[in-house]
Amino acid sequence: MIFKTDLNYRKQALLQLLLTVQKKEAAIIQALYDDFKKPAFEAVATETSYIVSELEYTIKNLKSWAKPQRVLPSFLNFPSSDFIYKEPYGKVLIMAPWNYPYQLALAPLIAAVAAGNQVVVKPSELAVNTSRVIAEIIAASFEEQHVQCVLGGVEVSQDLLSQRWDYIFFTGSVNVGKIVAQAAAQHLTPVTLELGGKNPCIIDETADLKLAAKRIVWGKFLNAGQTCIAPDYLLAHEHIKPKLIEHLKEEITSAYGKNPQDSADFPRIINEKNWKRQLQLLENQTVIFGGQSAENDFYLSPTLLDESPLDSLVMREEIFGPILPILSYTSEADIEKIILKYEKPLSLYVFTQQNSLAEKMITRFSFGGGCINDTVIHFANKRLPFGGVGHSGIGAYHGKRSFELFSHHKPIVKKATWLDIPTRYAPYHGKLSGLKKMLKWFS
């Protein structure tokens, strides 16, 4: 069955989704709190408002994005008119993670629907309450043969991956991303993989340390560190490291109080398994701030580590929690040695007043995206692509690029019939020198 994908149908489906998510905002905020005590401010700032904005932006621009794009024709095809048609891939599977379970399920869904695809969404089984509300939203917004939400655990994911899809969009860990890519390869299915990595944050001796600390604390401990683009470790110049540490401690206390467990603004680790993993990362480490935990609450306080060995567990894996190792450097060679020890990260951050250093750092290293003198905020601009490189991901989306990602770009040449130049047709005898001259002229 070929599902109807005309623009009016897509637009009406997205308008219905917009109405539904607006009605369900309070339910989503409560579900996010129930899943891991995400504060309402963070729920709105990083999840619900983002989805509403993405919907409104997509609905407004859908018609212009979808129309055939005229491109300059080749003189070799004269006379012709050349176009790129945007067509849906077909049946799309979206597999969402648990850390931003609402935003990272609905954002790719919006784009896939806008591009005219049929979609199956598999939310994370770890964010149980949010996944339930997502299922309700999808059921209330779409016809069943257009978009479906499938709930369940690993076995459900495995069953979905065993089926044939026209496109797969996955957000999650590198290890699971490899499984998804392997399954997709069986059918030569194109994929987008939004993964992660060890995101470095460099602070040199010219940085505004108090402001840097404030922005690092916000970006790192947002969502209790369970953010794929959060700073994973700091590289601080040895001259300013002690002062930076003091500022970091002050900013953590200013944000979450002397006991962050009592703060309404500090979320929890998603489940027991991930909480225990965080504690393992702390083993044999020098804790200089924080480190308090509570199993009954899956709580781990914002924690600073001093000079974690590069071969220790906390420096071998993406942390994905409220633990921040602080390493020192004396030269750019030190920075290079540490960063190049790991796979290409999803993000990189530099705090400096030296434009030359900032430019050198962002051009020397390969990474998904980043900021100079801030953290995380590059995610917010719809006009910037968001995605990884190497082990941190394949493909990029956001804004118009999301629509482009879920569309096959079909090139079409419309050749006129009023003139037919005979040079290209056999027999070719006597035509080679003329062909060479023509190709040189038009190259």
Side-chain angles (χ1 to χ4, degrees):
M1 170 185 170
I2 299 176
F3 194 76
K4 53 187 176 183
T5 59
D6 62 87
L7 278 183
N8 286 334
Y9 182 84
R10 301 183 210 177
K11 187 172 182 179
Q12 288 306 311
L14 292 174
L15 284 168
Q16 182 58 51
L17 178 60
L18 177 59
L19 288 173
T20 307
V21 299
Q22 289 171 331
K23 290 177 183 177
K24 288 281 191 178
E25 183 179 40
I28 280 291
I29 292 170
Q30 184 62 50
L32 290 166
Y33 181 83
D34 292 341
D35 282 330
F36 45 139
K37 292 190 175 180
K38 181 174 287 194
F41 183 92
E42 288 189 14
V44 172
T46 65
E47 305 235 32
T48 62
S49 67
Y50 182 89
I51 292 304
V52 169
S53 174
E54 194 77 0
L55 270 167
E56 292 175 339
Y57 186 70
T58 301
I59 291 167
K60 177 182 177 181
N61 291 285
L62 179 57
K63 185 177 180 180
S64 63
W65 292 348
K67 70 180 181 181
Q69 176 188 349
R70 189 161 188 164
V71 299
L72 189 67
S74 168
F75 281 111
L76 296 174
N77 289 333
F78 181 83
S80 71
S81 301
D82 294 9
F83 298 86
I84 299 172
Y85 282 71
K86 321 288 179 56
E87 71 173 14
Y89 276 102
K91 294 182 179 179
V92 171
L93 173 63
I94 295 172
M95 304 181 74
W98 53 262
N99 60 324
Y100 290 89
Y102 178 68
Q103 181 223 122
L104 295 178
L106 264 67
L109 168 63
I110 292 164
V113 169
N117 298 283
Q118 292 174 271
V119 188
V120 169
V121 179
K122 166 60 177 68
S124 171
E125 69 276 13
L126 301 188
V128 150
N129 297 287
T130 306
S131 294
R132 175 181 49 79
V133 180
I134 289 172
E136 293 172 0
I137 288 171
I138 288 174
S141 303
F142 300 101
E143 295 182 58
E144 188 175 2
Q145 67 268 41
H146 186 195
V147 180
Q148 293 182 22
C149 181
V150 178
L151 301 179
V154 175
E155 290 183 359
V156 171
S157 296
Q158 291 172 337
D159 179 60
L160 288 170
L161 286 173
S162 71
Q163 300 176 37
R164 183 166 184 172
W165 302 92
D166 297 303
Y167 203 97
I168 298 176
F169 187 103
F170 170 80
T171 307
S173 70
V174 173
N175 288 337
V176 180
K178 291 178 180 179
I179 295 171
V180 172
Q182 196 170 36
Q186 303 306 309
H187 301 293
L188 298 180
T189 301
V191 297
T192 291
L193 302 177
E194 296 295 341
L195 308 176
K198 294 199 71 65
N199 306 321
C201 181
I202 304 159
I203 307 97
D204 84 344
E205 63 271 35
T206 71
D208 181 332
L209 296 184
K210 184 170 178 57
L211 183 60
K214 183 185 289 288
R215 292 176 175 178
I216 290 168
V217 165
W218 174 78
K220 173 61 182 181
F221 299 112
L222 180 76
N223 204 35
Q226 298 165 116
T227 304
C228 59
I229 54 174
D232 193 87
Y233 62 98
L234 305 186
L235 283 168
H237 193 280
E238 63 174 2
H239 291 163
I240 54 89
K241 181 187 165 190
K243 190 67 175 175
L244 175 66
I245 289 172
E246 291 308 307
H247 283 304
L248 289 169
K249 293 176 180 178
E250 291 168 3
E251 292 301 333
I252 292 171
T253 303
S254 174
Y256 305 115
K258 292 184 177 180
N259 184 7
Q261 189 173 10
D262 295 333
S263 172
D265 299 323
F266 189 70
R268 300 299 186 259
I269 307 302
I270 185 67
N271 62 10
E272 182 180 13
K273 179 182 177 181
N274 284 271
W275 177 81
K276 287 183 174 179
R277 176 181 169 273
Q278 294 295 308
L279 296 190
Q280 287 180 330
L281 297 180
L282 292 179
E283 292 176 1
N284 303 316
Q285 295 295 320
T286 302
V287 176
I288 56 176
F289 187 83
Q292 297 81 24
S293 63
E295 183 173 9
N296 65 324
D297 200 20
F298 301 147
Y299 165 75
L300 177 62
S301 65
T303 300
L304 305 179
L305 304 181
D306 189 34
E307 297 297 340
S308 298
L310 297 184
D311 60 352
S312 62
L313 187 61
V314 77
M315 289 302 296
R316 293 202 307 266
E317 300 180 357
E318 180 183 9
I319 294 170
F320 221 68
I323 300 171
L324 184 60
I326 305 170
L327 312 180
S328 58
Y329 76 89
T330 58
S331 67
E332 291 177 18
D334 295 334
I335 296 175
E336 184 170 304
K337 179 182 177 182
I338 293 171
I339 292 178
L340 293 182
K341 182 178 177 64
Y342 306 106
E343 297 288 349
K344 297 174 182 179
L346 185 56
S347 297
L348 181 144
Y349 305 109
V350 186
F351 286 85
T352 180
Q353 298 302 318
Q354 300 183 79
N355 291 335
S356 60
L357 177 70
E359 190 67 21
K360 188 178 295 184
M361 293 298 101
I362 64 174
T363 54
R364 171 64 186 90
F365 303 109
S366 180
F367 55 94
C371 308
I372 298 169
N373 292 320
D374 212 330
T375 63
V376 175
I377 61 170
H378 59 294
F379 184 91
N381 188 350
K382 293 181 179 66
R383 288 166 289 279
L384 291 176
F386 179 80
V389 60
H391 278 223
S392 62
I394 299 171
Y397 70 124
H398 280 191
K400 184 180 180 181
R401 284 181 177 85
S402 297
F403 176 87
E404 303 280 352
L405 186 75
F406 286 102
S407 302
H408 167 59
H409 292 205
K410 181 189 288 182
I412 298 294
V413 174
K414 297 183 178 180
K415 189 68 182 286
T417 58
W418 57 269
L419 177 66
D420 191 38
I421 299 173
T423 305
R424 63 172 167 154
Y425 301 111
Y428 302 126
H429 180 71
K431 296 181 180 179
L432 183 58
S433 61
L435 173 65
K436 288 182 176 181
K437 289 179 182 178
M438 182 173 65
L439 291 175
K440 185 176 181 181
W441 175 262
F442 288 124
S443 63

